[in-house]
Protein backbone atom coordinates (compact mmCIF):
# COMPACT_ATOMS: atom_id res chain seq x y z
CA UNK A 1 0.00 0.00 0.00
CA UNK A 2 2.76 2.45 0.94
CA UNK A 3 4.64 1.74 -2.27
CA UNK A 4 1.65 2.27 -4.56
CA UNK A 5 -0.70 4.56 -2.60
CA UNK A 6 1.49 7.03 -0.74
CA UNK A 7 -0.72 8.56 2.00
CA UNK A 8 -1.06 12.34 2.14
CA UNK A 9 0.79 12.54 5.46
CA UNK A 10 3.74 10.42 4.31
CA UNK A 11 6.81 12.33 3.11
CA UNK A 12 8.70 9.38 1.67
CA UNK A 13 8.97 5.61 1.53
CA UNK A 14 12.13 3.65 0.74
CA UNK A 15 12.19 -0.10 0.15
CA UNK A 16 15.62 -1.65 0.73
CA UNK A 17 16.89 -5.15 -0.02
CA UNK A 18 19.12 -5.67 3.02
CA UNK A 19 20.77 -8.87 1.77
CA UNK A 20 21.56 -7.38 -1.67
CA UNK A 21 22.24 -3.99 -0.01
CA UNK A 22 20.44 -1.84 -2.51
CA UNK A 23 17.49 0.53 -2.71
CA UNK A 24 14.75 -1.24 -4.64
CA UNK A 25 12.53 1.81 -4.89
CA UNK A 26 11.85 5.15 -3.25
CA UNK A 27 8.76 7.32 -3.41
CA UNK A 28 8.41 10.80 -1.96
CA UNK A 29 6.09 13.77 -2.12
CA UNK A 30 6.03 17.38 -1.00
CA UNK A 31 4.78 18.14 2.48
CA UNK A 32 4.31 21.87 2.75
CA UNK A 33 6.97 23.35 0.48
CA UNK A 34 9.61 20.70 1.05
CA UNK A 35 10.28 17.01 0.69
CA UNK A 36 12.92 14.44 1.64
CA UNK A 37 16.10 14.03 -0.39
CA UNK A 38 16.04 11.41 -3.14
CA UNK A 39 18.63 8.65 -2.57
CA UNK A 40 19.88 6.10 -5.06
CA UNK A 41 22.01 4.04 -2.67
CA UNK A 42 21.64 2.85 0.92
CA UNK A 43 24.74 4.85 1.87
CA UNK A 44 23.18 8.04 0.49
CA UNK A 45 19.99 7.32 2.42
CA UNK A 46 21.73 6.86 5.78
CA UNK A 47 23.99 9.89 5.27
CA UNK A 48 21.01 12.06 4.31
CA UNK A 49 19.14 10.91 7.41
CA UNK A 50 22.06 11.82 9.72
CA UNK A 51 22.46 15.24 8.11
CA UNK A 52 18.75 16.04 8.22
CA UNK A 53 18.03 15.19 11.88
CA UNK A 54 18.04 18.44 13.87
CA UNK A 55 18.96 17.00 17.28
CA UNK A 56 22.40 15.47 16.83
CA UNK A 57 22.08 13.66 20.17
CA UNK A 58 18.88 11.86 19.10
CA UNK A 59 18.97 8.06 19.17
CA UNK A 60 18.09 8.00 15.47
CA UNK A 61 21.50 9.51 14.70
CA UNK A 62 23.28 6.47 16.15
CA UNK A 63 20.91 4.15 14.27
CA UNK A 64 21.64 5.70 10.88
CA UNK A 65 25.37 6.06 11.53
CA UNK A 66 25.43 2.30 12.07
CA UNK A 67 23.06 1.53 9.21
CA UNK A 68 24.86 -1.57 7.89
CA UNK A 69 23.81 -5.00 6.69
CA UNK A 70 25.21 -6.68 9.80
CA UNK A 71 23.53 -4.29 12.24
CA UNK A 72 20.14 -4.56 10.53
CA UNK A 73 20.44 -8.34 10.43
CA UNK A 74 21.32 -8.38 14.13
CA UNK A 75 18.24 -6.27 14.97
CA UNK A 76 16.01 -8.56 12.90
CA UNK A 77 17.47 -11.73 14.44
CA UNK A 78 16.85 -10.32 17.92
CA UNK A 79 13.13 -10.59 17.20
CA UNK A 80 12.39 -6.94 16.45
CA UNK A 81 10.32 -6.44 13.33
CA UNK A 82 10.00 -2.67 13.51
CA UNK A 83 11.70 0.44 14.89
CA UNK A 84 10.18 3.88 15.27
CA UNK A 85 11.68 7.33 15.89
CA UNK A 86 10.13 10.78 16.21
CA UNK A 87 12.35 13.76 15.51
CA UNK A 88 12.57 17.15 13.86
CA UNK A 89 13.98 16.96 10.34
CA UNK A 90 15.28 19.52 7.87
CA UNK A 91 13.29 19.38 4.65
CA UNK A 92 14.57 20.17 1.16
CA UNK A 93 13.36 23.79 1.36
CA UNK A 94 15.21 24.40 4.65
CA UNK A 95 12.07 24.18 6.79
CA UNK A 96 11.95 21.97 9.88
CA UNK A 97 9.15 19.48 10.46
CA UNK A 98 8.43 16.74 12.95
CA UNK A 99 8.35 13.29 11.36
CA UNK A 100 7.73 9.77 12.61
CA UNK A 101 10.32 7.52 11.00
CA UNK A 102 9.32 3.85 10.93
CA UNK A 103 11.57 0.98 9.86
CA UNK A 104 9.78 -2.31 9.22
CA UNK A 105 11.56 -5.59 8.45
CA UNK A 106 10.06 -8.23 6.18
CA UNK A 107 11.09 -11.13 4.00
CA UNK A 108 10.63 -10.67 0.25
CA UNK A 109 8.38 -13.47 -0.99
CA UNK A 110 10.13 -13.74 -4.38
CA UNK A 111 13.82 -13.58 -3.46
CA UNK A 112 13.68 -14.70 0.17
CA UNK A 113 15.89 -11.72 1.03
CA UNK A 114 15.57 -9.72 4.21
CA UNK A 115 14.14 -6.32 3.28
CA UNK A 116 13.37 -3.13 5.16
CA UNK A 117 10.76 -0.53 4.44
CA UNK A 118 11.47 2.98 5.75
CA UNK A 119 8.74 5.57 5.77
CA UNK A 120 8.59 9.07 7.20
CA UNK A 121 5.16 10.36 8.21
CA UNK A 122 4.51 14.05 8.75
CA UNK A 123 3.43 14.61 12.39
CA UNK A 124 4.31 18.30 12.57
CA UNK A 125 0.80 19.57 13.34
CA UNK A 126 0.29 16.88 15.98
CA UNK A 127 3.59 17.63 17.75
CA UNK A 128 2.97 21.38 17.69
CA UNK A 129 -0.48 20.86 19.18
CA UNK A 130 1.06 18.68 21.91
CA UNK A 131 3.67 21.38 22.59
CA UNK A 132 0.95 24.01 22.87
CA UNK A 133 -0.96 21.86 25.36
CA UNK A 134 2.18 21.30 27.43
CA UNK A 135 2.94 25.01 27.31
CA UNK A 136 -0.60 25.91 28.37
CA UNK A 137 -0.43 23.49 31.30
CA UNK A 138 2.65 25.31 32.61
CA UNK A 139 1.23 28.81 32.35
CA UNK A 140 -1.05 30.88 34.51
CA UNK A 141 -3.96 31.29 32.11
CA UNK A 142 -4.72 34.90 33.00
CA UNK A 143 -1.29 36.51 33.22
CA UNK A 144 0.62 34.03 31.00
CA UNK A 145 3.43 33.87 33.52
CA UNK A 146 4.55 30.48 34.76
CA UNK A 147 2.00 29.06 37.19
CA UNK A 148 2.89 28.33 40.80
CA UNK A 149 3.61 24.62 40.31
CA UNK A 150 5.82 25.08 37.25
CA UNK A 151 7.69 28.01 38.81
CA UNK A 152 8.46 25.98 41.91
CA UNK A 153 9.55 23.02 39.78
CA UNK A 154 11.92 25.19 37.71
CA UNK A 155 13.32 26.97 40.76
CA UNK A 156 13.98 23.66 42.53
CA UNK A 157 15.74 22.33 39.42
CA UNK A 158 17.89 25.46 39.28
CA UNK A 159 18.95 25.11 42.90
CA UNK A 160 19.88 21.47 42.27
CA UNK A 161 21.74 21.93 38.99
CA UNK A 162 23.29 25.35 39.67
CA UNK A 163 23.87 25.00 43.40
CA UNK A 164 27.40 26.39 43.11
CA UNK A 165 26.05 29.83 42.13
CA UNK A 166 24.23 32.56 44.01
CA UNK A 167 20.54 33.19 43.35
CA UNK A 168 17.91 35.58 44.71
CA UNK A 169 14.21 34.97 45.33
CA UNK A 170 11.86 37.96 45.17
CA UNK A 171 8.30 37.70 46.50
CA UNK A 172 5.87 40.52 45.91
CA UNK A 173 2.23 41.38 46.30
CA UNK A 174 0.11 44.48 45.85
CA UNK A 175 -0.74 46.56 48.89
CA UNK A 176 -4.47 47.29 49.17
CA UNK A 177 -5.32 45.34 46.02
CA UNK A 178 -8.69 44.58 47.60
CA UNK A 179 -9.61 48.25 47.17
CA UNK A 180 -9.49 47.85 43.39
CA UNK A 181 -11.64 44.72 43.30
CA UNK A 182 -14.18 46.15 45.75
CA UNK A 183 -14.42 49.54 44.01
CA UNK A 184 -14.09 48.82 40.29
CA UNK A 185 -14.87 45.11 40.19
CA UNK A 186 -12.92 41.92 39.56
CA UNK A 187 -12.68 42.47 35.81
CA UNK A 188 -10.65 45.63 36.40
CA UNK A 189 -8.65 43.74 38.99
CA UNK A 190 -7.83 41.05 36.43
CA UNK A 191 -6.84 43.68 33.85
CA UNK A 192 -4.50 45.23 36.42
CA UNK A 193 -2.84 41.87 37.12
CA UNK A 194 -2.29 41.17 33.41
CA UNK A 195 -0.55 44.53 32.92
CA UNK A 196 1.46 44.12 36.12
CA UNK A 197 2.57 40.60 35.19
CA UNK A 198 3.92 41.79 31.83
CA UNK A 199 5.74 44.70 33.51
CA UNK A 200 7.34 42.42 36.12
CA UNK A 201 8.34 39.88 33.47
CA UNK A 202 10.12 42.64 31.54
CA UNK A 203 12.23 43.40 34.62
CA UNK A 204 14.00 40.07 34.33
CA UNK A 205 16.17 38.16 31.88
CA UNK A 206 14.86 35.29 29.78
CA UNK A 207 16.91 32.90 31.90
CA UNK A 208 15.29 34.06 35.15
CA UNK A 209 12.11 32.43 36.46
CA UNK A 210 9.04 34.63 36.91
CA UNK A 211 5.72 33.20 38.07
CA UNK A 212 2.41 33.95 39.71
CA UNK A 213 1.83 32.47 43.15
CA UNK A 214 -1.86 33.30 43.10
CA UNK A 215 -4.11 36.33 43.53
CA UNK A 216 -1.93 39.43 43.46
CA UNK A 217 1.21 37.60 44.59
CA UNK A 218 4.18 36.95 42.31
CA UNK A 219 7.69 35.60 42.70
CA UNK A 220 10.88 35.56 40.67
CA UNK A 221 14.23 33.82 40.92
CA UNK A 222 17.07 35.95 39.58
CA UNK A 223 19.84 33.53 38.74
CA UNK A 224 23.59 33.77 39.18
CA UNK A 225 23.84 37.07 41.03
CA UNK A 226 25.46 37.76 44.37
CA UNK A 227 26.16 41.48 44.60
CA UNK A 228 23.76 43.19 47.02
CA UNK A 229 23.91 46.35 44.89
CA UNK A 230 22.59 44.38 41.89
CA UNK A 231 19.80 42.90 43.96
CA UNK A 232 18.79 46.29 45.33
CA UNK A 233 18.83 47.78 41.83
CA UNK A 234 16.47 45.04 40.66
CA UNK A 235 14.16 45.53 43.67
CA UNK A 236 13.99 49.27 42.98
CA UNK A 237 13.18 48.58 39.34
CA UNK A 238 10.35 46.28 40.42
CA UNK A 239 8.98 48.91 42.81
CA UNK A 240 9.14 51.50 40.04
CA UNK A 241 7.12 49.44 37.57
CA UNK A 242 4.58 48.54 40.24
CA UNK A 243 4.13 52.21 41.10
CA UNK A 244 3.57 53.04 37.43
CA UNK A 245 0.92 50.35 37.02
CA UNK A 246 -0.78 51.34 40.29
CA UNK A 247 -0.79 55.00 39.18
CA UNK A 248 -3.24 54.08 36.42
CA UNK A 249 -5.83 53.49 39.16
CA UNK A 250 -5.90 56.72 41.18
CA UNK A 251 -7.66 56.74 44.52
CA UNK A 252 -7.05 53.02 45.13
CA UNK A 253 -4.04 53.67 47.42
CA UNK A 254 -2.18 50.72 45.89
CA UNK A 255 1.55 50.01 45.92
CA UNK A 256 3.84 46.99 45.92
CA UNK A 257 5.89 45.31 48.64
CA UNK A 258 8.82 42.95 48.10
CA UNK A 259 10.43 40.32 50.31
CA UNK A 260 13.91 39.03 49.38
CA UNK A 261 15.83 35.89 50.33
CA UNK A 262 19.21 34.79 48.98
CA UNK A 263 20.68 31.42 48.09
CA UNK A 264 22.61 29.95 49.82
CA UNK A 265 22.79 32.52 52.68
CA UNK A 266 19.15 32.14 53.69
CA UNK A 267 18.54 28.57 52.60
CA UNK A 268 19.51 25.84 50.17
CA UNK A 269 16.02 24.63 49.28
CA UNK A 270 13.04 26.36 47.73
CA UNK A 271 10.98 25.76 50.87
CA UNK A 272 13.56 27.59 52.98
CA UNK A 273 13.93 30.49 50.55
CA UNK A 274 10.18 30.75 50.07
CA UNK A 275 9.47 30.86 53.80
CA UNK A 276 12.11 33.50 54.45
CA UNK A 277 11.12 35.68 51.51
CA UNK A 278 7.57 35.48 52.84
CA UNK A 279 8.75 36.66 56.27
CA UNK A 280 10.58 39.57 54.61
CA UNK A 281 7.49 40.43 52.56
CA UNK A 282 5.36 40.54 55.72
CA UNK A 283 7.95 42.81 57.30
CA UNK A 284 7.84 45.16 54.30
CA UNK A 285 4.06 45.41 54.51
CA UNK A 286 4.07 45.80 58.32
CA UNK A 287 6.60 48.64 58.26
CA UNK A 288 4.99 50.96 55.74
CA UNK A 289 4.52 49.10 52.43
CA UNK A 290 5.84 50.28 49.04
CA UNK A 291 9.32 48.99 49.89
CA UNK A 292 11.63 45.99 49.68
CA UNK A 293 13.05 44.12 52.67
CA UNK A 294 15.86 41.54 52.84
CA UNK A 295 15.29 38.61 55.16
CA UNK A 296 17.19 38.89 58.43
CA UNK A 297 17.68 36.23 61.06
Amino acid sequence: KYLFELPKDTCAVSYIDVDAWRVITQRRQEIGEGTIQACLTVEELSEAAVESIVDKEHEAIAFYRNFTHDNLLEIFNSGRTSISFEYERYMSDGSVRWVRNNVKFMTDVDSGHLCAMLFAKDIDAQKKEEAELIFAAKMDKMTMLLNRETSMEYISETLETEGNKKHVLFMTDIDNFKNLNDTLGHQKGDEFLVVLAKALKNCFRETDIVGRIGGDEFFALMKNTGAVSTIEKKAKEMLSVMRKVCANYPGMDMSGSIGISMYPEHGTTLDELYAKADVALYQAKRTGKDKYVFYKE
Side-chain angles (χ1 to χ4, degrees):
K1 179 179 179 181
Y2 274 93
L3 289 175
F4 297 101
E5 302 175 20
L6 202 60
K8 290 182 180 179
D9 65 349
T10 303
C11 309
V13 171
S14 299
Y15 192 52
I16 299 171
D17 186 324
V18 176
D19 287 333
W21 203 240
R22 67 185 182 90
V23 176
I24 298 174
T25 186
Q26 183 183 54
R27 293 192 64 206
R28 59 202 183 101
Q29 64 182 345
E30 287 190 357
I31 300 290
E33 298 297 323
T35 186
I36 286 179
Q37 180 180 341
C39 302
L40 299 177
T41 67
V42 180
E43 288 76 15
E44 283 182 5
L45 187 148
S46 59
E47 288 172 9
V50 170
E51 291 175 1
S52 68
I53 297 171
V54 175
D55 179 6
K56 297 308 178 185
E57 300 299 319
H58 196 281
E59 60 179 337
I61 290 284
F63 174 77
Y64 281 109
R65 280 180 176 159
N66 295 285
F67 199 80
T68 65
H69 169 271
D70 290 346
N71 281 336
L72 293 180
L73 185 60
E74 183 179 346
I75 292 171
F76 178 72
N77 288 336
S78 72
R80 297 182 68 181
T81 59
S82 65
I83 300 172
S84 180
F85 305 105
E86 292 185 359
Y87 52 77
E88 287 183 291
R89 179 177 185 133
Y90 293 111
M91 306 298 282
S92 61
D93 64 341
S95 64
V96 175
R97 300 187 74 87
W98 277 95
V99 300
R100 180 181 295 116
N101 183 189
N102 290 312
V103 183
K104 298 183 75 70
F105 295 101
M106 59 199 74
T107 301
D108 186 273
V109 293
D110 294 323
S111 66
H113 287 188
L114 173 64
C115 295
M117 181 180 284
L118 288 71
F119 52 98
K121 300 191 74 172
D122 176 51
I123 58 169
D124 198 61
Q126 173 189 330
K127 295 296 287 188
K128 286 178 178 176
E129 183 178 352
E130 289 175 5
E132 288 174 1
L133 291 173
I134 292 170
F135 176 79
K138 293 181 178 181
M139 308 306 289
D140 175 69
K141 290 180 174 57
M142 184 172 69
T143 63
M144 293 310 293
L145 294 180
L146 294 173
N147 61 30
R148 178 190 176 98
E149 294 77 13
T150 303
S151 298
M152 297 183 81
E153 177 188 338
Y154 287 180
I155 292 172
S156 294
E157 288 176 359
T158 298
L159 299 182
E160 289 177 8
T161 59
E162 301 180 45
N164 59 332
K165 300 175 182 177
K166 292 180 179 291
H167 311 289
V168 182
L169 183 68
F170 297 89
M171 285 186 64
T172 182
D173 78 357
I174 299 303
D175 308 316
N176 304 320
F177 179 66
K178 188 173 183 295
N179 291 348
L180 177 58
N181 279 333
D182 290 348
T183 305
L184 300 180
H186 287 276
Q187 183 175 346
K188 285 294 182 183
D190 291 349
E191 291 174 3
F192 169 89
L193 292 174
V194 170
V195 175
L196 177 65
K198 184 176 180 180
L200 288 174
K201 175 70 174 176
N202 289 338
C203 288
F204 291 90
R205 301 164 295 185
E206 284 296 320
T207 53
D208 295 328
I209 300 167
V210 184
R212 183 185 180 202
I213 300 173
D216 59 313
E217 295 183 298
F218 302 87
F219 60 169
L221 185 80
M222 187 164 68
K223 299 181 182 181
N224 194 19
T225 180
V228 173
S229 60
T230 302
I231 300 168
E232 288 189 322
K233 182 179 179 181
K234 184 59 60 180
K236 290 175 181 176
E237 182 184 356
M238 293 170 68
L239 286 176
S240 176
V241 300
M242 286 191 285
R243 288 170 186 149
K244 289 179 181 177
V245 177
C246 291
N248 294 324
Y249 300 84
M252 297 298 106
D253 191 31
M254 293 190 301
S255 58
S257 295
I258 302 171
I260 304 170
S261 61
M262 297 184 292
Y263 174 94
E265 291 91 332
H266 299 145
T268 56
T269 68
L270 174 57
D271 287 343
E272 292 172 338
L273 294 177
Y274 187 99
K276 291 177 179 179
D278 193 41
V279 169
L281 175 60
Y282 174 77
Q283 188 72 5
K285 298 178 79 67
R286 193 176 69 85
T287 57
K289 304 176 181 177
D290 192 28
K291 62 167 66 174
Y292 63 87
V293 170
F294 284 83
Y295 173 78
K296 292 182 181 179
E297 295 291 348

